[in-house]
Amino acid sequence: MKADDRLITALDFPTAAEAKAVVEELGDAVSFYKVGMELFYSAGPEMITYLKERGKKVFLDLKLQDIPNTVAHSLAVLTRLGADILNVHAVGGPKMLAEGARAVREAAASLGRPAPRLIAVTVLTSMDEAQWKPLHYANTIAEEVLDLALLAKDSGLDGVVASPQEAKGIRERCGRDFLIVTPGVRPAWAAANDQSRIATPAMALRNGATQLVIGRPITRAADKKEAVRKILEEMEGAQA
């Protein structure tokens, strides 16, 4: 996979106009974008159409979790939008995960197109030990992430969303073809913001991450193309 396909730029904006302005400014520098809840709830499918018409790949990051039937039907609808990656919460359980994966494959087949990759969120990268303790899980964060990654794989999903700190263990347990999408990636020159379990782009790739989700270090930069260039340079160095 090329470095520019490994970088997913997060369009975390409240309006389509703001997101589109960044996409236009970045031009050919970025090929893959993440559309999350804030932007999708504001702009809806229009934003996906806009990006696909410009030849971009899309990670639609809605983190679905509900009863299996609801999630399966929702994923079937979302598959029609043409996004390249969709996601659910792994804690929805094995039946929700398996039925969701089946729904995506069947919906894509009915449309005569390749199925989007379906991945599962493990533990949010904003979560630290202080926030984890009141939830009373028996596992540590790292143990829970590994267990949820194996659950996702066994349920027929293509990969997971996990912090770069857990990527190495997931890669060892789930194999080389398992997709590991890592938020919580911050270049050395960028602020951590609200992320807790973070790593630099090079560290994340060396730990086994497949793709990196990076938002504010790019979208809030004074020179956005230069920020992308510096990140891609670091990523290419890590893969050399």
Side-chain angles (χ1 to χ4, degrees):
M1 187 182 293
K2 298 182 297 182
D4 57 351
D5 279 342
R6 286 180 175 262
L7 174 62
I8 302 176
T9 299
L11 294 173
D12 294 327
F13 295 101
T15 68
E18 292 171 271
K20 289 177 181 180
V22 169
V23 173
E24 297 300 326
E25 183 176 347
L26 286 168
D28 293 336
V30 171
S31 63
F32 216 133
Y33 285 98
K34 188 201 84 164
V35 174
M37 287 183 279
E38 179 183 20
L39 182 56
F40 190 77
Y41 294 158
S42 169
E46 170 207 343
M47 197 66 214
I48 311 303
T49 302
Y50 166 83
L51 291 167
K52 298 305 290 185
E53 286 177 347
R54 282 152 183 78
K56 307 301 183 183
K57 296 178 181 177
V58 179
F59 169 23
L60 183 54
D61 177 27
L62 299 183
K63 302 180 179 73
L64 302 187
Q65 182 184 347
D66 209 310
I67 63 171
N69 185 65
T70 298
V71 168
H73 284 284
S74 298
L75 286 170
V77 171
L78 293 174
T79 297
R80 299 173 199 158
L81 301 181
D84 300 272
I85 302 176
L86 302 172
N87 68 352
V88 295
H89 265 292
V91 292
K95 185 175 181 182
M96 188 202 82
L97 296 174
E99 292 193 12
R102 175 186 52 76
V104 167
R105 290 192 296 267
E106 290 179 355
S110 72
L111 295 166
R113 65 169 71 144
R117 309 293 293 275
L118 181 62
I119 62 178
V121 176
T122 53
V123 176
L124 298 174
T125 51
S126 60
M127 187 73 68
D128 58 18
E129 293 297 338
Q131 297 177 77
W132 187 251
K133 186 176 180 180
L135 299 178
H136 301 294
Y137 279 89
N139 286 341
T140 65
I141 292 176
E143 290 168 342
E144 189 68 18
V145 168
L146 284 176
D147 283 352
L148 291 173
L150 286 168
L151 174 63
K153 182 179 181 181
D154 291 344
S155 300
L157 273 67
D158 299 296
V160 290
V161 180
S163 96
Q165 295 183 11
E166 288 93 42
K168 184 177 181 180
I170 295 170
R171 180 64 64 217
E172 291 170 352
R173 297 277 294 277
C174 296
R176 62 179 299 176
D177 296 327
F178 197 64
L179 194 64
I180 305 173
V181 177
T182 55
V185 176
R186 290 290 183 268
W189 41 267
N193 302 118
D194 56 356
Q195 301 285 10
S196 294
R197 302 187 335 277
I198 63 174
T200 65
M203 289 168 58
L205 291 176
R206 290 184 183 123
N207 282 350
T210 313
Q211 288 166 291
L212 316 181
V213 177
I214 302 178
R216 284 165 284 191
I218 295 171
T219 60
R220 307 297 185 188
D223 187 336
K224 296 175 180 56
K225 285 188 176 181
E226 176 62 12
V228 169
R229 187 196 66 76
K230 288 165 62 179
I231 291 168
L232 289 176
E233 186 176 71
E234 182 176 347
M235 291 170 67
E236 287 164 355
Q239 298 175 83

